[in-house]
Amino acid sequence: MFAIENLKLSYRDDGNRPFTVLELSSLDLKAGSLVVVTGPSGSGKSSLLYALSGLLNPTTGTVFHDGADIYALSEARRDRWRRDTIGFIFQDFHLIPELSPLANVTLATHFGGVGAGARHKARAASLLEDLQVPGERRHASLLSRGEQQRTAIARALLFDPPAILADEPTASLDSDASTLVANKLQDLARKDGRLVLCVSHDPILITRADRVLHLDRGHLKETTPTGNAKSEIPA
Ligand code: ADP
Ligand code: MG
């Protein structure tokens, strides 16, 4: 589904000097798999998710989705591509606290200027029910953290994206809530055939992973889900 070749990604520092945060010679990510990315803070994990989402133009190399170079698209087409392809689950949920869970899930329908029609409202309600979130609560801020996390998942799934990218989706959850979320993410990959790529250090999620990738200062190393080094991907 995704392929990266000789990708190098740089940011600029205080003195406007570029510094490299990601350097990947090759990476293939297949539909139907749950892939977990681990690595120390600052190793480039979030940057990898952003690069795959078409949000960070690489310095060299590119990202292919189903054979097409996503950075060759115009910005407008890349936005549409992202909306059709990627469900992004942010680390701190990015919910609007004053809106109901249901309104949070349907929020993105307003960006296209159309608003939430009956079809999207029904889909949002059924996703929330499926994820055991009380969608009719007056404010998302009234939900428990586990419920907020699952609201963020429901929102990511609204447009039925083939790829789900999640940044530490269980980081602030207790083990029961983590297990619920991990089971859902695993089903999205194994049963629904989506690509699910998560940044996570949570053993509950790592034990369910088909692949574990370790990032160290922008370089990738693949490990087996049990944590034994399998192969090193040369950078
Ligand atoms: P991780 O998610 O693994 O903690 P990130 O991908 O967020 O790492 O960041 C990698 C490195 O890039 C960090 O050193 C961070 O400080 C730096 N960084 C992240 N975003 C920017 C940015 N927009 N501009 C400059 N530096 C950034
Ligand atoms: Mg991060």
Side-chain angles (χ1 to χ4, degrees), residues 87-104:
F88 205 100
I89 304 170
F90 294 94
Q91 179 161 15
D92 39 12
F93 319 144
H94 290 199
L95 300 178
I96 311 284
E98 308 79 34
L99 292 181
S100 72
L102 190 79
N104 268 282

Side-chain angles (χ1 to χ4, degrees), residues 44-230:
K45 304 181 298 295
S46 297
S47 301
L48 175 62
L49 296 191
Y50 298 145
L52 289 167
S53 307
L55 293 165
L56 278 180
N57 221 321
T59 314
T60 57
T62 193
V63 174
F64 294 95
H65 172 254
D66 291 344
D69 178 350
I70 63 170
Y71 287 99
L73 299 172
S74 69
E75 211 148 308
R77 288 190 64 194
R78 196 162 354 115
D79 285 346
R80 207 172 325 131
W81 167 84
R82 186 178 312 110
R83 185 186 140 128
D84 293 342
T85 312
I86 309 276
F88 205 100
I89 304 170
F90 294 94
Q91 179 161 15
D92 39 12
F93 319 144
H94 290 199
L95 300 178
I96 311 284
E98 308 79 34
L99 292 181
S100 72
L102 190 79
N104 268 282
V105 174
T106 58
L107 194 63
T109 60
H110 296 276
F111 301 147
V114 274
R119 190 171 57 89
H120 281 129
K121 280 188 188 153
R123 174 157 171 82
S126 112
L127 283 166
L128 286 169
E129 192 185 334
D130 185 33
L131 287 158
Q132 299 171 34
V133 179
E136 70 291 351
R137 292 282 189 274
R138 280 192 305 132
H139 300 304
S141 58
L142 300 170
L143 299 175
S144 71
R145 285 192 71 75
E147 289 169 340
Q148 290 183 24
Q149 179 59 274
R150 281 174 276 135
T151 303
I153 296 176
R155 185 185 51 194
L157 296 176
L158 185 69
F159 299 127
D160 209 22
I164 318 291
L165 271 47
D167 208 344
E168 315 233 12
T170 62
S172 54
L173 304 183
D174 63 40
S175 71
D176 281 354
S178 290
T179 300
L180 252 171
V181 167
N183 287 343
K184 180 66 188 173
L185 293 171
Q186 187 176 29
D187 284 352
L188 287 167
R190 300 261 178 87
K191 288 194 188 152
D192 297 0
R194 297 171 212 255
L195 167 69
V196 181
L197 180 69
C198 301
V199 168
S200 180
H201 298 96
D202 184 348
I204 294 175
L205 203 50
I206 290 173
T207 51
R208 287 165 171 76
D210 299 296
R211 287 173 77 184
V212 179
L213 306 173
H214 185 74
L215 260 183
D216 184 13
R217 281 162 293 178
H219 295 274
L220 262 189
K221 200 184 272 186
E222 179 137 12
T223 60
T224 63
T226 51
N228 306 313
K230 195 164 71 182

